Amino acid sequence: MPSRVTDLTSFDLLLSVAELGSIGRAAKAHGISQPAASARLRQLERQVGVPLLERATRGARLTTAGELVAGWAQPVVERAADLEAGIAALRADRHTHLRIAASLTVAEYLLPRWLIALRAADPDTVTALSSGNSHEVAEQVLAGDVDLGFVEGPELPPGLRAADVATDELVLVVAPGHRWASRRRRPRAAELAGTPLVSREPGSGTRQAWEWALLACGETELAAPLLEVSSTTAIKAAAIGGIAPAVLSAHAVVPELDAGTLVRVPVPDLDLRRRLRAVWPSGQTLRGPAADLLTIALRSRTEG
């Protein structure tokens, strides 16, 4: 950048003097004091190396050299204004687009009402949502593919900040004809650890939380799933069909429990409570709709 044209604000001030005929009026238009404007214009003259203004008690006018400099400066200042406006537009566009990734439990049962509240607060925000297991969500956040993620797993990879937005409980469910459906039959942790289940795929927060709960009881040998699927609906259908027991979020099985197509099996040995969390990159401050959505989720947790 040439040394004599680094301070475009001073050239803009010179153009205002030419237009308004007074340093005082130019200063007012720029929101600064007249002494500050005078000092800045004198500095510009020293920088250019020639007088640019003829000062008088009733105002100021440009010298011949000043008129030449003002003519050359005009398009430069205008392009700088265009650059500033373009950058502002880019930032505004980014802030009105929100990319979210959420684990299935959050995406299906919590996020819809949060997005309704966000829509009311930020009507112009365009939201893109992808869902997957907690591991996949964390990877998208770390890669910068989304602005905010929601996970349900007990463990987070390095590089993420987190905030608890809800609590959840896992429930063990079986078909009505299963032996565990009887109130007299309560499986213990050792039996649960050795029982193949219908389960989510590796990386699922629900599966990880269930395995951690068993490990916390000292059960280190866990049976492999009888069936792995990536859909909550498919897991419920398999459990209803009697293929095997399943572990799901309490949010996910309310209709089936009410209808009696699934039976909840109490598991006194295990603590199946878990935290649902918002995650974003460490060292990054959430702004715009992402910050608004986090606030809504946190407020929902408090209200709930």
Side-chain angles (χ1 to χ4, degrees):
M1 187 74 177
S3 60
R4 291 186 176 86
V5 293
T6 55
D7 184 8
L8 292 182
T9 302
S10 295
F11 285 101
D12 192 25
L13 184 61
L14 179 69
L15 292 173
S16 294
V17 174
E19 178 185 357
L20 300 173
S22 163
I23 295 175
R25 286 191 288 271
K28 185 176 181 180
H30 284 254
I32 60 176
S33 67
Q34 181 169 341
S38 295
R40 177 163 286 185
L41 290 167
R42 291 189 186 281
Q43 175 60 32
L44 179 62
E45 288 177 313
R46 288 192 293 270
Q47 192 172 340
V48 174
V50 295
L52 301 176
L53 291 171
E54 293 180 357
R55 295 165 176 82
T57 55
R58 294 186 177 180
R61 65 176 186 172
L62 273 60
T63 64
T64 300
E67 290 176 354
L68 288 172
V69 169
W72 296 327
Q74 182 79 42
V76 178
V77 171
E78 289 176 352
R79 296 293 78 74
D82 291 344
L83 175 61
E84 173 66 22
I87 292 173
L90 284 176
R91 290 172 60 87
D93 182 66
R94 181 176 178 82
H95 288 166
T96 57
H97 287 74
L98 176 61
R99 302 165 301 165
I100 311 168
S103 62
L104 291 182
T105 298
V106 178
E108 293 180 21
Y109 303 104
L110 299 175
L111 198 54
R113 71 171 183 265
W114 297 345
L115 291 178
I116 290 171
L118 178 66
R119 179 71 174 174
D122 300 328
D124 295 330
T125 297
V126 177
T127 303
L129 170 63
S130 62
S131 62
N133 63 45
S134 293
H135 176 73
E136 293 167 341
V137 170
E139 284 190 331
Q140 290 185 71
V141 174
L142 288 171
D145 295 333
V146 297
D147 305 305
L148 186 64
F150 294 94
V151 299
E152 55 196 69
E155 187 177 37
L156 291 178
L160 291 178
R161 290 184 62 189
D164 291 1
V165 295
T167 56
D168 187 26
E169 183 180 9
L170 299 182
V171 294
L172 176 66
V173 293
V174 296
H178 193 278
R179 66 183 186 279
W180 289 348
S182 169
R183 292 181 179 273
R184 298 186 301 275
R185 187 73 168 83
R186 296 290 183 262
R188 312 301 294 186
E191 184 178 3
L192 293 170
T195 301
L197 305 179
V198 180
S199 174
R200 289 282 307 282
E201 75 286 354
S204 157
T206 296
R207 177 170 171 173
Q208 188 180 53
W210 171 253
E211 292 173 349
W212 277 43
L214 289 169
L215 291 172
C217 287
E219 302 298 332
T220 57
E221 298 294 329
L222 307 183
L226 180 66
L227 176 65
E228 287 184 359
V229 293
S230 59
S231 162
T232 300
T233 301
I235 292 175
K236 291 193 289 185
I240 291 170
I243 293 176
V247 175
L248 291 163
S249 165
H251 292 288
V253 293
V254 171
E256 291 76 17
L257 294 179
D258 289 344
T261 54
L262 286 175
V263 176
R264 178 173 181 168
V265 180
V267 186
D269 288 356
L270 304 184
D271 181 2
L272 296 179
R273 294 170 297 178
R274 62 176 178 170
R275 299 177 294 164
L276 306 180
R277 291 175 285 181
V279 294
W280 63 97
S282 298
Q284 180 175 308
T285 300
L286 293 178
R287 303 183 187 279
D292 293 341
L293 181 59
L294 177 59
T295 298
I296 289 167
L298 293 172
R299 185 169 62 240
S300 175
R301 176 192 179 198
T302 302
E303 293 172 351

